Amino acid sequence: MPANYDAATASGIPQIKILVAGGFGVGKTTYVGTVSEIRPLRTEERLTAAGVGVDDLHGVENKTATTVAMDFGRITLPDATVYLFGTPGQDRFWFMWDDLLRGAYGAIVLVDTRRLDRSFAAVDFFEKRGTPFVIGANCFDGKQAYTPDAIRDALDLVDPTTPVLMLDARQRASARDVMLALMDRVIARAESAARV
């Protein structure tokens, strides 16, 4: 459990913080908006000519805005409240990730297999910190050319049991299933630690 567990449960209802992370343009803002029960807080700004040479738009040429701080959403469950924090994906905003991670139970790392190299840094970030995470391979065109095992191998995950799930970040049920897979992983890790 995170160090702030007692403070988080002071209201009597557990509050669970989850990060939604990944590279630039993988669907983090869409994901948070899809699963959130409230209108999500978004800190998006328009992409302008000032970003030419700084922002790599390869593969996302039609993107017109980017998250500059975070996205925020909420899901109320019968036994807990889940808070979703979407991280900014551009390299120049990654200094915020450590702050956003503070108190989080785990993370969903979204990947785009058309630009898988953009995912390595996010995977490394959570692996180095020992944060439980799952991989969500966003299927932008409704289909995916790669299997979960092929994606796992390409990402060279340290833990070969890290779940890799296919999803469409625009579909609530698909996005929810990835979040539930993360919660299963967090619970399994907590139960394993309790047995030691």
Side-chain angles (χ1 to χ4, degrees):
M1 297 289 170
N4 65 350
Y5 179 76
D6 290 334
T9 59
S11 66
I13 299 174
Q15 299 175 10
I16 301 166
K17 179 180 181 182
I18 295 174
L19 258 57
V20 179
F24 179 56
V26 296
K28 299 175 299 293
T29 298
T30 300
Y31 181 94
V32 171
T34 297
V35 297
S36 179
E37 69 189 15
I38 62 171
R39 184 172 162 225
L41 167 72
R42 293 186 171 147
T43 60
E44 287 192 305
E45 291 294 331
R46 286 182 329 146
L47 291 169
T48 66
V52 174
V54 176
D55 301 326
D56 181 4
L57 296 179
H58 178 71
V60 288
E61 291 84 3
N62 294 329
K63 191 168 175 59
T64 59
T66 187
T67 300
V68 296
M70 67 176 180
D71 298 309
F72 174 78
R74 184 188 74 212
I75 304 166
T76 304
L77 304 173
D79 301 350
T81 302
V82 178
Y83 297 105
L84 299 165
F85 288 80
T87 64
Q90 294 170 292
D91 294 351
R92 60 187 160 136
F93 298 122
W94 274 45
F95 67 91
M96 300 178 66
W97 282 39
D98 279 314
D99 287 335
L100 289 171
L101 182 61
R102 196 169 294 125
Y105 280 69
I108 296 165
V109 177
L110 295 183
V111 302
D112 178 354
T113 56
R114 299 171 303 178
R115 301 176 299 119
L116 201 56
D117 61 319
R118 304 287 182 220
S119 307
F120 297 144
V123 169
D124 288 346
F125 178 86
F126 295 109
E127 286 181 338
K128 287 179 181 175
R129 286 157 182 81
T131 303
F133 68 94
V134 298
I135 301 292
N138 201 358
C139 302
F140 288 91
D141 55 4
K143 57 187 171 204
Q144 182 57 255
Y146 303 97
T147 66
D149 287 337
I151 294 168
R152 182 181 293 104
D153 289 345
L155 291 172
D156 195 25
L157 298 170
V158 169
D159 180 354
T161 67
T162 300
V164 176
L165 301 105
M166 304 304 185
L167 84 145
D168 183 333
R170 301 165 296 186
Q171 301 295 322
R172 187 174 180 86
S174 180
R176 180 204 60 216
D177 289 347
V178 173
M179 187 176 62
L180 292 174
L182 173 63
M183 296 310 297
D184 287 344
R185 189 159 175 81
V186 168
I187 291 167
R189 182 178 280 198
E191 288 173 346
S192 177
R195 287 193 296 270
V196 175

